[in-house]
C-alpha cells in the first residue's frame, strides 16, 4: 500500500534529524478527554435529585 504524504514527512524527519514526532504526541500523562453526555446512571440519578422526584421508569 502507498504511504500518505504526512507519513512520508514523518519518516523523513526521523531519518534526517532523528525527530520522532509520534513519541511527542503521547506526552500527556493523563487523559484529556472530557465526557460530554451523561451516562445512563447519571441521567437516572438526576430524576431522584429533582424537586418532585418523579421516576418515570417505573410507570
Amino acid at each position: 500500500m502507498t504511504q500518505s504524504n504526512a507519513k512520508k514527512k514523518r519518516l523523513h524527519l526521523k531519518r534526517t534529524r532523528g525527530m520522532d514526532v509520534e513519541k511527542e504526541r503521547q506526552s500527556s500523562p493523563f487523559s484529556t478527554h472530557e465526557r460530554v453526555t451523561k451516562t445512563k446512571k447519571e441521567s437516572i440519578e438526576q430524576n431522584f435529585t429533582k424537586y418532585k422526584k418523579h421516576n418515570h421508569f417505573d410507570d
Side-chain angles (χ1 to χ4, degrees), residues 18-31:
M19 294 175 55
D20 193 7
V21 183
E22 294 175 349
K23 287 184 180 177
E24 294 176 5
R25 277 190 209 147
Q26 302 295 329
S27 62
S28 174
F30 56 90
S31 175

Side-chain angles (χ1 to χ4, degrees), residues 7-53:
K7 187 169 185 179
K8 287 179 188 177
K9 288 179 183 179
R10 285 195 305 267
L11 291 173
H12 178 72
L13 281 175
K14 194 173 185 180
R15 269 195 323 268
T16 57
R17 298 183 190 169
M19 294 175 55
D20 193 7
V21 183
E22 294 175 349
K23 287 184 180 177
E24 294 176 5
R25 277 190 209 147
Q26 302 295 329
S27 62
S28 174
F30 56 90
S31 175
T32 57
H33 172 77
E34 293 183 14
R35 186 181 300 275
V36 178
T37 59
K38 292 184 179 182
T39 61
K40 183 177 179 182
K41 184 179 180 182
E42 289 173 343
S43 61
I44 290 173
E45 286 177 355
Q46 183 185 11
N47 291 328
F48 293 108
T49 58
K50 286 187 175 180
Y51 172 66
K52 293 193 176 185
K53 299 183 181 176

